[in-house]
């Protein structure tokens, strides 16, 4: 494994996570009446921009490694999403969803380690 | 308004989004393989993947997944929705093994089992509450 590929994989995941946070932030605002489009549009655009960066970085990585080796790097994202959603979107975790997320993260880590 | 307990419709949309994203990943890999020998493929950005029709099919599948995802995000907390989407962590290696002939070790099978168990823990309350209706 090459260090550049590893760093690119981590950066691509950060782009994916920030993109999801921006889009969720935008979708939360669409629940207001009337919909505040002036706030929704920039959040949505930032989300699409981050996801586009993820897409092209991911495409570059796919040209260099096997999909089943590379894909577990996306296992970083559930953990980063939980942290990001708690810090930036003030989402609260229940015990049940916490257990479920822990099982999923452990499973993804096991898949990554193999 | 997003709710901590996912509805059956939201779970169905997560499943649609996961299947579409799995198809997109496989199509992107096909497109990436088909363009790996182009001179532009030396760049760290994978723009040369756009030269393949497989990549464009992958983009269509990804857009379908994204639309289902927007429906889910409007109705479910992000941490929960994103964790449920980890079902693609199961679908992609299984599909890569089945369709692309990539290998799958015992560790990976065990990991797939844990991911499925986690998804069941999160999704079960929705299934039980709607069965009672």
């Amino acid at each position: 494994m090459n260090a550049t590929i590893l760093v690119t994989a981590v950066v691509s995941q950060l782009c994916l996570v920030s993109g999801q946070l921006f889009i969720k932030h935008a979708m939360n605002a669409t629940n207001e009446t009337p919909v505040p489009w002036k706030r929704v549009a920039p959040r949505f655009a930032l989300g699409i921009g981050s996801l586009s960066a993820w897409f092209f970085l991911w495409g570059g990585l796919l040209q260099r490694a096997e999909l089943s080796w590379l894909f577990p790097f996306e296992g970083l994202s559930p953990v980063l999403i939980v942290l990001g959603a708690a810090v930036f979107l003030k989402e609260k975790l229940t015990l049940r969803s916490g257990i479920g997320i822990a099982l999923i993260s452990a499973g993804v880590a096991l898949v990554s380690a193999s | 308004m997003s709710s901590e307990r996912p509805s059956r419709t939201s779970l169905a949309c997560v499943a649609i989004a996961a299947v579409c994203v799995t198809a997109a990943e496989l199509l992107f890999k096909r497109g990436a393989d088909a363009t790996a020998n182009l001179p532009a493929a030396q760049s760290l950005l994978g723009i040369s993947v756009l030269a393949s029709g497989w990549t464009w099919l992958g983009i269509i599948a990804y857009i379908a997944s994204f639309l289902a995802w927007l429906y889910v995000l409007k109705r479910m907390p992000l941490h929960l929705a994103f964790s449920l989407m980890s079902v693609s962590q199961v679908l992609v290696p299984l599909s890569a093994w089945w369709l692309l002939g990539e290998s799958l070790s015992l560790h990976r099978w065990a990991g797939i089992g844990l991911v499925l168990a986690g998804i069941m823990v999160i999704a079960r309350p929705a299934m039980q509450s709607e069965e009672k209706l």
Side-chain angles (χ1 to χ4, degrees):
Chain A
M1 179 173 41
N2 168 319
T4 313
I5 291 181
L6 184 64
V7 171
T8 311
V10 173
V11 171
S12 76
Q13 291 316 298
L14 289 175
C15 290
L16 173 67
V17 169
S18 58
Q20 295 291 357
L21 288 170
F22 280 125
I23 287 173
K24 174 61 178 167
H25 200 30
M27 293 312 283
N28 281 348
T30 63
N31 287 321
E32 295 173 27
T33 315
V35 176
W37 291 111
K38 280 188 179 172
R39 273 191 288 139
V40 171
R43 291 173 191 174
F44 202 78
L46 280 169
I48 296 291
S50 296
L51 289 179
S52 302
W54 163 77
F55 171 79
F56 285 113
L57 289 171
W58 191 241
L61 288 166
L62 284 174
Q63 288 175 328
R64 290 167 176 76
E66 272 199 355
L67 178 60
S68 51
W69 178 86
L70 202 53
F71 196 74
F73 275 96
E74 295 212 352
L76 274 178
S77 44
V79 178
L80 295 175
I81 283 281
V82 170
L83 293 175
V87 173
F88 298 110
L89 304 175
K90 313 289 178 210
E91 288 186 3
K92 289 187 178 114
L93 230 72
T94 62
L95 180 63
R96 176 177 274 273
S97 59
I99 291 169
I101 291 165
L103 279 170
I104 289 168
S105 301
V108 170
L110 201 56
V111 170
S112 316
S114 50
Chain B
M1 194 61 194
S2 59
S3 141
E4 181 63 38
R5 176 170 283 191
S7 71
R8 195 170 277 192
T9 313
S10 299
L11 289 176
C13 281
V14 170
I16 291 168
V19 168
C20 288
V21 86
T22 301
E25 291 283 352
L26 293 169
L27 290 162
F28 288 158
K29 178 60 180 166
R30 275 255 167 132
D33 284 345
T35 54
N37 294 324
L38 295 179
Q42 301 313 312
S43 155
L44 253 188
L45 284 179
I47 291 174
S48 62
V49 296
L50 295 176
S52 167
W54 292 113
T55 304
W56 288 100
L57 279 175
I59 290 171
I60 291 169
Y62 200 78
I63 290 170
S65 164
F66 188 67
L67 293 176
W69 183 238
L70 287 183
Y71 179 92
V72 172
L73 279 189
K74 203 168 157 63
R75 289 159 180 83
M76 212 189 273
L78 178 63
H79 71 273
L80 212 53
F82 200 84
S83 300
L84 287 172
M85 269 295 278
S86 296
V87 73
S88 58
Q89 299 282 350
V90 172
L91 294 176
V92 170
L94 282 179
S95 309
W97 166 69
W98 183 41
L99 298 171
L100 303 180
E102 294 185 6
S103 60
L104 213 52
S105 66
L106 265 179
H107 276 94
R108 201 159 276 173
W109 281 111
I112 286 169
L114 277 177
V115 170
L116 285 176
I119 288 166
M120 284 306 294
V121 167
I122 294 172
R124 206 168 166 200
M127 309 312 282
Q128 285 177 334
S129 64
E130 294 193 21
E131 272 164 16
K132 285 176 191 165
L133 293 177

